[in-house]
Amino acid sequence: MLTHRQRTILGDIPADWDAKPLKSLITEHFAGDWGSDEGEQAVAVLRSTNFTNDGQLDFSDIAQRFFTKDQADQFGLLKGDLLVERSGGGPEQPVGRIGFVERDMPGSTVSNFVQVLRPDPKKVDPEYLGWALFELQRSGLVERVQQQSTQMRNLNWRDYQRLMLPWPSVKEQFRISAALKLVDTAIQRAKAEVDAALELKKSLMASAFSSGLDQQITCWQETKLGRLPAGWRIKRVKDVLVGKPSNGYSPQSNPDPPGTKTLNVACVRNGECSIRKATYVDVDDSVVACLQVYRGDFFVLRGNGNRDFIGIGGVVREDIAEPMIYSDLLFRLRFKEEDAVPLFLPYMWQTQAFLHRLQAKAKSGSGLWKIGKRDIENELIALPDKGEQQEIVDAIERATRACNAAAERMNALAAVKRSLLQNLLTGAIRIPEGAIHA
């Protein structure tokens, strides 16, 4: 039997609060059904892929399954229902994510890996209960009531229902829910701002490297890369390189010291090459001397199991104050300053048009997609004069700063939410009556 060292699974609570087992706060619970590929009636079925890590349900890809008419007539989710991911999770993610049903969904059901909880409104505010279960999963405490199979985590449903949860008065539950709803709404708005900023940057980059920033261009030229502003030059990548692309060195690596830091494929994301995910290898000084990484180096993935990652590149923006080399699955490129201003080509490398051309050259073997040095060297690029290049870089840098600022605001709000979840749900912070409208 599961026991708690504290009064509730989430921690100690105020003396005027009570603790209640989950099963006493719901009127019913039931598992879903995956149905069949064919049948009498099509039904929308929510599954674990529709869960998100913030409690919002993602309705962009709902499965359609088939049931008998009698079965389908029994289905329906109600506003206030809570969906619990009963089986799933991952290596670093406990099972038990929560989905809030915010409107009636007649005729819909859930898969057999999802459990529906129907809170008792006479005893508990459904949103409050949802946030308590959300915090249980987010904090990792749910691992106490999960079982690990070979490839999947499963909730021990009997123990899960017995978990002792904080139970303030219903009025205080409403105030807690309202406070969390406010910050959650703010996070969703911040996320929309992030998405809009990223979309603006993506649109800017798509147009800047094909038509420049001047919307009044009247003189064009037809080239191997299509219609471009007059005066832009077409070159091959090898024409603007200092030396040739060079791949690194890949002995057995370790996630922790000792050893020499090594950039790997995980370091290259979103146009940058970050040292935060670097691993460590045991190499001698001669290898370091040949493969030392410097600020401004540009790295391209030459091999990956996923073709969509082949050819992506990232520039090192940080000063490197220690010995550091790079993996054999990366090519290092250095660009001639007389042909391209800093960051122009790294930004151009992120455009879909360029990447699609490069990835089309990839070849597969033994489950790994690869491109060669010649594939990169012979790819075509379009170069405006350096003054226009700098204008393009400056515009994209401004858009990048806007994206980063929006992301920082979203992350700050997420940190506030994490703090509020723990403190409000255990009574460490109390919301006085009348301080918030629930």
Side-chain angles (χ1 to χ4, degrees):
M1 177 182 293
L2 183 73
T3 59
H4 303 302
R5 295 179 181 177
Q6 300 158 310
R7 288 189 63 191
T8 76
I9 185 67
L10 296 181
D12 289 329
I13 54 177
D16 60 329
W17 286 21
D18 203 348
K20 294 282 187 180
L22 170 59
K23 63 182 179 181
S24 72
L25 302 175
I26 57 178
T27 59
E28 62 177 313
H29 66 88
F30 51 90
D33 191 333
W34 186 228
S36 305
D37 295 334
E38 299 178 350
E40 296 177 24
Q41 189 162 329
V43 173
V45 180
L46 293 170
R47 48 193 166 155
S48 57
T49 54
N50 297 112
F51 283 72
T52 66
N53 291 336
D54 60 7
Q56 304 286 326
L57 289 170
D58 179 3
F59 295 102
S60 63
D61 182 24
I62 299 180
Q64 181 176 271
R65 304 291 291 172
F66 291 88
F67 299 83
T68 66
K69 186 177 185 306
D70 287 343
Q71 287 176 309
D73 288 344
Q74 303 300 313
F75 294 149
L77 300 174
L78 303 178
K79 179 180 180 180
D81 283 350
L82 300 172
L83 308 186
V84 183
E85 178 192 37
R86 186 167 176 168
S87 296
E92 298 180 3
Q93 177 179 289
V95 73
R97 288 182 297 173
I98 300 298
F100 292 77
V101 178
E102 299 181 335
R103 56 180 173 82
D104 289 346
M105 300 176 63
S108 298
T109 189
V110 296
S111 75
N112 49 323
F113 284 179
V114 178
Q115 195 84 3
V116 179
L117 298 182
R118 195 150 283 166
D120 184 346
K122 296 178 181 178
K123 296 180 180 178
V124 68
D125 171 38
E127 285 195 21
Y128 170 83
L129 180 59
W131 286 123
L133 298 177
F134 176 93
E135 175 63 5
L136 180 67
Q137 191 275 340
R138 188 206 66 80
S139 64
L141 291 168
V142 75
E143 292 188 357
R144 300 184 190 179
V145 290
Q146 75 173 24
Q147 299 164 331
Q148 181 95 36
S149 62
T150 304
Q151 296 181 335
M152 186 176 294
R153 302 186 187 208
N154 303 285
L155 285 179
N156 182 321
W157 195 248
R158 183 186 65 175
D159 283 348
Y160 188 77
Q161 293 180 81
R162 292 178 177 178
L163 292 173
M164 299 298 289
L165 301 174
W167 193 66
S169 70
V170 174
K171 287 184 178 180
E172 189 162 4
Q173 292 175 28
F174 284 140
R175 296 198 294 273
I176 292 171
S177 297
L180 292 171
K181 183 70 172 179
L182 283 173
V183 72
D184 207 43
T185 300
I187 290 173
Q188 295 307 313
R189 289 174 178 168
K191 184 179 184 301
E193 184 182 349
V194 170
D195 292 342
L198 289 171
E199 190 62 31
L200 178 62
K201 178 183 175 181
K202 181 179 177 181
S203 176
L204 172 64
M205 292 177 65
S207 62
F209 292 100
S210 61
S211 59
L213 299 177
D214 185 359
Q215 301 300 312
Q216 308 300 320
I217 295 177
T218 58
C219 191
W220 298 85
Q221 60 177 325
E222 292 298 328
T223 73
K224 292 181 179 180
L225 293 178
R227 193 179 74 150
L228 292 171
W232 284 30
R233 297 168 296 155
I234 301 298
K235 290 196 171 188
R236 297 188 183 277
V237 170
K238 64 182 179 181
D239 297 330
V240 298
L241 291 181
V242 176
K244 290 182 173 292
S246 59
N247 52 289
Y249 183 64
S250 289
Q252 182 66 40
S253 64
N254 298 297
D256 302 305
T260 300
K261 276 190 173 181
T262 303
L263 297 177
N264 54 63
V265 296
C267 297
V268 180
R269 288 294 182 273
N270 301 319
E272 295 189 15
C273 191
S274 171
I275 66 175
R276 289 190 296 274
K277 293 188 177 181
T279 50
Y280 294 83
V281 295
D282 184 17
V283 294
D284 57 41
D285 292 343
S286 63
V287 174
V288 176
C290 292
L291 302 178
Q292 173 65 40
V293 174
Y294 295 97
R295 180 175 183 172
D297 284 351
F298 185 70
F299 293 96
V300 177
L301 264 67
R302 74 179 188 91
N304 197 274
N306 186 338
R307 188 174 188 172
D308 291 339
F309 288 103
I310 290 297
I312 66 171
V315 64
V316 177
R317 287 180 174 250
E318 305 160 80
D319 289 323
I320 307 299
E322 58 187 314
M324 182 180 299
I325 63 173
Y326 56 99
S327 160
D328 179 57
L329 288 177
L330 298 177
F331 282 134
R332 175 166 61 187
L333 279 63
R334 289 171 172 164
F335 302 113
K336 296 177 181 177
E337 293 184 2
E338 59 266 31
D339 288 302
V341 302
L343 297 181
F344 178 80
L345 290 173
Y347 273 134
M348 181 277 300
W349 212 279
Q350 297 178 54
T351 60
Q352 287 188 348
F354 179 85
L355 276 178
H356 286 170
R357 295 199 306 271
L358 195 57
Q359 290 169 346
K361 300 177 179 179
K363 296 178 176 60
S364 176
S366 302
L368 196 67
W369 290 91
K370 286 188 175 182
I371 55 172
K373 295 179 182 180
R374 289 184 179 179
D375 296 326
I376 292 175
E377 289 179 319
N378 292 323
E379 188 52 64
L380 297 175
I381 56 175
L383 291 172
D385 64 57
K386 292 181 68 176
E388 189 172 358
Q389 288 181 32
Q390 190 62 59
E391 291 176 358
I392 291 172
V393 168
D394 290 344
I396 296 174
E397 286 281 274
R398 288 193 294 271
T400 300
R401 287 194 293 272
C403 291
N404 292 340
E408 287 176 6
R409 287 192 290 273
M410 184 180 70
N411 292 336
L413 286 167
V416 170
K417 179 181 175 181
R418 289 192 295 270
S419 177
L420 285 177
L421 279 166
Q422 177 61 25
N423 288 303
L424 289 177
L425 292 170
T426 58
I429 294 176
R430 307 288 291 270
I431 301 175
E433 190 170 354
I436 190 168
H437 297 288

